[in-house]
Amino acid sequence: MNDVILSVRDLKVHFSTEDGVVKAVDGLSYDLTKGRTLGIVGESGSGKSVSNLAILGLHNPEKTAVSGEITFEGKQLVGARESELQRLRGNQISMIFQDPLTSLSPYYTVGEQIAETYRRHTGAGKSQARKRAIEMLTKVGIPQPDRRVDDYPHQFSGGMRQRAMIAIALCCDPALLIADEPTTALDVTVQAQILDLLRDLQSEFNTAIILITHDMGVVAQMADDVLVMYAGRCVERGTVRDVLKAPEHPYSWGLLSSIPSLSGDVEVPLVPVRGTPPSLIDPPSGCPFHPRCDFRSRVPGDLCVTKRPDLEPARGHGSACHLSTSDKRLIFTEEIQQRLG
Ligand code: SF4
């Protein structure tokens, strides 16, 4: 497809540790289209952040083996020179993190930090970069931007700091924005404002967004497509509509049951996914979700324990689970849907 901006194929990110090799990402493939938002969801340790740090080339090459393909606007990023990756970072690919306080320098004003990013990538002069900083602070909704541009991060509230991070991330008009839990540290009202802001800016800049989150509610509000990760792999993917209306994978059912009802019904009890995420050094045999899965008895024989399921079908809405398509539908409509309210 022409408007695919990022294509990831069989991405593996393995870390060497004293206890063994951690297979943090173990064969991830997806495409991202211009102007769309892909939500990547999963628990801590599912590989969602690690896979995105690989796009930016931010892993320590001495301790990390990255293989597979990451093609961004036709350029191969796996194995690319550091100078090439540096040129892309902050310019064509930007990232915002959960905690803006650790990303912003306390020693420079917010305006200096936006201007510095802009100058580094565009070669603009000082006054032009300051103008750009004020323009970006205006776009992200900071009041009195021509005065607040000279404030230090500690003079901003949490929500304003996240807005400032978004201003830095978007000042060079990147084609791809990676947002890693951008609203987790914020209260609910500010969270909604930041998500609205990201959506508005996305339509203005036509940026593709990868939104990393553990929160299906955020995905429902923001994303066009969703990819559910478990133990370093994609276990379900599709459009948000498909995955939220008719999820197929028992882990996706678990994630949906553990958030407040999307329909707003406060009577619906929350059911956490039982058990703990698997070891990535010595993952379970067969389907890595099998020790936590309540539905493996519906699969004939011991397939769930002996054979790793592939993501089927190769395109569109698909899941990596040995349950038959008719069983997935039946279980969801007859058992899970009531639970979700
Ligand atoms: Fe559960 Fe088996 Fe499907 Fe894995 S393959 S999610 S264990 S039913």
Side-chain angles (χ1 to χ4, degrees), residues 159-172:
M160 282 166 70
R161 282 196 287 264
Q162 196 55 296
R163 286 171 189 267
M165 279 308 301
I166 294 170
I168 294 173
L170 294 181
C171 72
C172 295

Side-chain angles (χ1 to χ4, degrees), residues 103-317:
S103 315
L104 290 167
S105 167
Y107 301 113
Y108 296 93
T109 66
V110 169
E112 282 167 342
Q113 295 182 59
I114 303 171
E116 171 56 24
T117 304
Y118 189 62
R119 290 186 68 194
R120 195 174 343 121
H121 291 292
T122 63
K126 275 190 174 169
S127 70
Q128 196 190 345
R130 181 177 165 86
K131 242 172 97 182
R132 179 67 172 166
I134 295 171
E135 185 190 2
M136 287 309 299
L137 288 178
T138 311
K139 277 189 198 296
V140 299
I142 300 291
Q144 299 174 281
D146 41 357
R147 189 172 67 73
R148 302 304 299 252
V149 71
D150 296 317
D151 280 357
Y152 287 86
H154 73 266
Q155 294 170 285
F156 274 29
S157 67
M160 282 166 70
R161 282 196 287 264
Q162 196 55 296
R163 286 171 189 267
M165 279 308 301
I166 294 170
I168 294 173
L170 294 181
C171 72
C172 295
D173 196 2
L176 171 62
L177 175 69
I178 300 172
D180 191 346
E181 304 273 9
T183 56
T184 305
L186 305 171
D187 70 49
V188 187
T189 327
V190 182
Q191 192 174 75
Q193 290 168 1
I194 295 291
L195 293 179
D196 280 349
L197 173 67
L198 276 175
R199 241 194 323 258
D200 291 349
L201 293 173
Q202 177 179 40
S203 52
E204 183 179 341
F205 289 84
N206 199 26
T207 320
I209 298 180
I210 295 178
L211 178 70
I212 304 166
T213 178
H214 61 278
D215 187 338
M216 279 287 205
V218 169
V219 166
Q221 282 181 62
M222 267 300 282
D224 301 297
D225 303 295
V226 59
L227 192 151
V228 181
M229 281 193 79
Y230 189 77
R233 281 199 171 196
C234 173
V235 293
E236 181 158 3
R237 55 121 164 75
T239 62
V240 162
R241 194 184 156 76
D242 283 344
V243 176
L244 295 188
K245 291 262 177 232
E248 293 182 349
H249 196 281
Y251 179 59
S252 308
W253 298 338
L255 286 182
L256 283 166
S257 306
S258 63
I259 60 164
S261 162
L262 294 175
S263 65
D265 186 349
V266 290
E267 300 297 319
V268 178
L270 304 186
V271 185
V273 185
R274 68 175 174 83
T276 50
S279 157
L280 297 175
I281 294 179
D282 186 17
S285 61
C287 170
F289 189 59
H290 85 253
R292 305 173 75 185
C293 183
D294 293 329
F295 302 95
R296 60 190 247 217
S297 59
R298 312 274 188 108
V299 174
D302 57 359
L303 215 53
C304 293
V305 182
T306 55
K307 188 174 182 293
R308 190 161 197 162
D310 290 325
L311 189 63
E312 303 279 3
R315 292 197 171 275
H317 184 196

Side-chain angles (χ1 to χ4, degrees), residues 8-48:
V8 174
R9 289 290 172 274
D10 198 25
L11 178 67
K12 293 183 179 157
V13 184
H14 293 181
F15 302 112
S16 300
T17 69
E18 285 183 0
D19 297 324
V21 176
V22 177
K23 294 174 186 154
V25 179
D26 202 26
L28 181 67
S29 301
Y30 65 86
D31 288 329
L32 177 62
T33 307
K34 230 179 195 155
R36 279 180 84 85
T37 298
L38 171 71
I40 301 187
V41 279
E43 294 161 298
S44 302
S46 59
K48 39 190 207 312

Side-chain angles (χ1 to χ4, degrees), residues 6 8 11 13 30 48-61 66 70 72 76-97 121 169 174 176-180 210 212:
L6 179 78
V8 174
L11 178 67
V13 184
Y30 65 86
K48 39 190 207 312
S49 295
V50 171
S51 61
N52 285 291
L53 292 176
I55 295 172
L56 293 159
L58 288 176
H59 292 297
N60 177 349
V66 180
I70 300 173
F72 172 72
Q76 183 49 241
L77 304 189
V78 174
R81 285 200 309 272
E82 179 53 27
S83 56
E84 171 73 0
L85 293 168
Q86 261 181 20
R87 207 177 53 74
L88 289 175
R89 283 198 293 261
N91 184 12
Q92 291 177 57
I93 307 176
S94 279
M95 187 148 184
I96 47 176
F97 296 93
H121 291 292
L176 171 62
L177 175 69
I178 300 172
D180 191 346
I210 295 178
I212 304 166

